């Protein structure tokens, strides 16, 4: 039996146990957001530690940081001098389930769906923890490379851990890292995510009157704060829907992308409504900017009075090119808004949080090994894609290990409804990811041994 077939057979023999452990983990409502009980988060932490120890990992440590759920750091030393070390990352916390009435089954009761399981967090990111666990079991706890395992518990909300790795570089030193918080563009299509857009927030507000005044008596001359704000927001995009803020980077996208039909379905675009912007979907989603109004303060329609609105405020979310400096991108948006004077009224613009994007170098030995490994996992040629979302820790880990190649792949897929009702994971994706990660460790160790 050849090595590839032997690996696939080994993973097939592990799948029942991996599914059972995934169900155990997915039953825990490990939501690390304010207002939710901390006990389930710690329960999930303890279960992951138990599973790692059961898979043969002897050195498992707990890293405690201020106001942050505990981080699991585990390590298996290299099997011999000269062998590489690979860092495996995931997170055991999950998003809140949101409106329970939109779920087809209780969000923390793993429920069978066609080809997989449904539950909150079962794809993002508990399936990927199980991928790492499966790889350890494939090798009986003795993989062909050194392994460092980092599983955090507050990725979805953000924590002090995002900025910690560069302050403790020895702990995170490695030759390559697998960030298992992504997945395939579509089920069965092996995908390496090579770029992440950066993210920033800006708040813009307008005060025109000390208090509301009768719209019949004063409307037509009294400056309406909401109208001022709406005119300002309308300048952020051109007539086609492309971002019209000067200085934001945009480049053509050369990798794979969604079809328009896939995207319309994933984004739940209403029938007859056109998409925004021009250019390829990859360019609009990944290598170009996006500005979204994510919140607005204005009188509610159901309780509206016949009065000129004295005050209005909006919160904007900016996504920008992976290689653009985050402060520069935020300054471009702030400068655009501050230069406006709708009806002669100045705006108050307040910059908020901002975080960098990430773009991977794809020409090293880890990427060469990964291409073959993903082909082995899914039986198809892998493609490069990017993500409009952000994973803040990626940059922290990259700064801690600046020479390490960064690979992003895993058991999720873009159609799994992560962060949405009825999130699910497919068993074929879980199996493929375990095979791919195990094959990657084998191929990467061999590449180091051959000096390539």
């Amino acid at each position: 039996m050849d090595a590839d077939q032997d690996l696939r057979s080994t993973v097939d023999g592990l799948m029942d146990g991996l599914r059972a452990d995934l169900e155990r983990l997915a039953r825990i409502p490990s939501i690390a957001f304010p207002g939710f009980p901390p006990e389930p988060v710690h329960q999930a932490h303890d279960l992951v530690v138990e599973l790692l120890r059961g898979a043969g990992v002897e050195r498992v440590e707990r890293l405690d940081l201020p106001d942050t759920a505990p981080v699991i750091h585990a390590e298996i030393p290299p099997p011999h001098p000269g062998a590489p070390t690979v860092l495996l990352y995931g997170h055991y916390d999950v998003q809140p389930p949101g409106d329970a009435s939109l779920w087809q089954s209780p969000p923390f009761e793993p429920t069978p769906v066609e080809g997989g399981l449904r539950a909150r967090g079962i794809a993002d990111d508990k399936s990927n923890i199980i991928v790492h666990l499966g790889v350890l079991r494939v090798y009986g706890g003795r993989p062909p490379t050194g392994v460092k395992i980092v599983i955090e518990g507050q990725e979805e909300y953000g924590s002090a851990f995002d900025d910690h790795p560069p302050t403790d570089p020895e702990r995170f030193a490695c030759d390559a890292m697998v960030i298992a918080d992504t997945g395939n563009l579509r089920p069965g299509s092996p995908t390496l995510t090579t770029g992440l857009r950066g993210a920033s927030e800006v708040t813009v507000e307008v005060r025109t009157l000390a208090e509301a005044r009768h719209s019949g008596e004063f409307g037509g001359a009294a400056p309406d704060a909401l109208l001022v704000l709406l005119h300002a927001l309308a300048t952020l995009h051109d007539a086609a829907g492309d971002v019209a803020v000067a200085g934001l980077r945009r480049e053509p996208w050369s990798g794979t992308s969604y079809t328009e039909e896939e995207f319309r379905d994933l984004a739940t675009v209403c029938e007859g409504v056109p998409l925004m912007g021009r250019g390829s979907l990859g360019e609009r989603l990944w290598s170009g900017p996006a500005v979204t109004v994510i919140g607005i303060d204005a009188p509610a329609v159901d309780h509206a009075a016949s009065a000129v609105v004295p005050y209005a405020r909006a919160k904007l979310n900016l996504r920008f090119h992976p290689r653009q400096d985050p402060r520069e991108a935020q300054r471009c948006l702030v400068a655009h808004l501050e230069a406006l004077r709708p009806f002669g009224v100045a705006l108050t613009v307040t910059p908020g949080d901002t975080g960098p994007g990430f773009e991977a170098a794809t020409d090293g030995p880890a990427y060469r090994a990964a291409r073959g490994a993903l082909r082995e996992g899914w039986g198809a040629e892998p493609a490069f894609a990017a993500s409009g979302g952000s994973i803040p820790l990626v940059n922290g880990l990259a700064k801690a290990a600046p020479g390490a190649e960064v690979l992003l792949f895993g058991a999720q897929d873009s159609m799994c409804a992560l962060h949405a009702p009825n999130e699910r994971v497919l068993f074929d994706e879980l199996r493929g990811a375990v095979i791919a990660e195990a094959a990657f460790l084998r191929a990467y160790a061999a590449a180091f041994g051959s000096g390539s």
Side-chain angles (χ1 to χ4, degrees), residues 63 195 203 216 287 300 381:
L63 177 61
T203 300
S287 61
E381 195 65 29

PDB file of all heavy atoms in Angstrom, residues 63 195 203 216 287 300 381:
ATOM      1  N   LEU A  63      -1.655  29.591  29.265  1.00  0.00           N
ATOM      2  CA  LEU A  63      -1.141  30.952  29.238  1.00  0.00           C
ATOM      3  C   LEU A  63      -2.273  31.893  29.619  1.00  0.00           C
ATOM      4  O   LEU A  63      -3.299  31.964  28.937  1.00  0.00           O
ATOM      5  CB  LEU A  63      -0.622  31.271  27.831  1.00  0.00           C
ATOM      6  CG  LEU A  63      -0.106  32.683  27.568  1.00  0.00           C
ATOM      7  CD1 LEU A  63       1.081  33.003  28.470  1.00  0.00           C
ATOM      8  CD2 LEU A  63       0.280  32.842  26.099  1.00  0.00           C
ATOM      9  N   GLY A 195      -4.423  35.909   1.531  1.00  0.00           N
ATOM     10  CA  GLY A 195      -4.551  37.314   1.896  1.00  0.00           C
ATOM     11  C   GLY A 195      -5.737  37.560   2.802  1.00  0.00           C
ATOM     12  O   GLY A 195      -6.775  36.897   2.687  1.00  0.00           O
ATOM     13  N   THR A 203     -16.157  56.675  13.349  1.00  0.00           N
ATOM     14  CA  THR A 203     -17.476  57.209  13.702  1.00  0.00           C
ATOM     15  C   THR A 203     -17.581  58.651  13.206  1.00  0.00           C
ATOM     16  O   THR A 203     -16.650  59.452  13.368  1.00  0.00           O
ATOM     17  CB  THR A 203     -17.687  57.172  15.223  1.00  0.00           C
ATOM     18  OG1 THR A 203     -17.605  55.818  15.676  1.00  0.00           O
ATOM     19  CG2 THR A 203     -19.051  57.729  15.602  1.00  0.00           C
ATOM     20  N   GLY A 216     -42.648  71.867  10.744  1.00  0.00           N
ATOM     21  CA  GLY A 216     -43.497  72.791  10.010  1.00  0.00           C
ATOM     22  C   GLY A 216     -43.041  74.228  10.174  1.00  0.00           C
ATOM     23  O   GLY A 216     -42.981  74.996   9.222  1.00  0.00           O
ATOM     24  N   SER A 287      -8.990  42.409  -2.828  1.00  0.00           N
ATOM     25  CA  SER A 287      -7.831  43.259  -3.128  1.00  0.00           C
ATOM     26  C   SER A 287      -8.237  44.706  -3.366  1.00  0.00           C
ATOM     27  O   SER A 287      -7.461  45.492  -3.877  1.00  0.00           O
ATOM     28  CB  SER A 287      -7.066  42.722  -4.338  1.00  0.00           C
ATOM     29  OG  SER A 287      -7.884  42.698  -5.496  1.00  0.00           O
ATOM     30  N   ALA A 300     -36.189  56.643  15.339  1.00  0.00           N
ATOM     31  CA  ALA A 300     -36.836  55.455  14.792  1.00  0.00           C
ATOM     32  C   ALA A 300     -38.127  55.841  14.074  1.00  0.00           C
ATOM     33  O   ALA A 300     -38.860  56.742  14.505  1.00  0.00           O
ATOM     34  CB  ALA A 300     -37.140  54.460  15.907  1.00  0.00           C
ATOM     35  N   GLU A 381      -6.674  20.016  -7.717  1.00  0.00           N
ATOM     36  CA  GLU A 381      -5.594  21.003  -7.679  1.00  0.00           C
ATOM     37  C   GLU A 381      -5.996  22.175  -6.787  1.00  0.00           C
ATOM     38  O   GLU A 381      -7.071  22.745  -6.942  1.00  0.00           O
ATOM     39  CB  GLU A 381      -5.299  21.501  -9.090  1.00  0.00           C
ATOM     40  CG  GLU A 381      -3.983  22.236  -9.237  1.00  0.00           C
ATOM     41  CD  GLU A 381      -2.776  21.352  -8.986  1.00  0.00           C
ATOM     42  OE1 GLU A 381      -2.867  20.123  -9.243  1.00  0.00           O
ATOM     43  OE2 GLU A 381      -1.751  21.885  -8.534  1.00  0.00           O
TER      44      GLU A 381
END
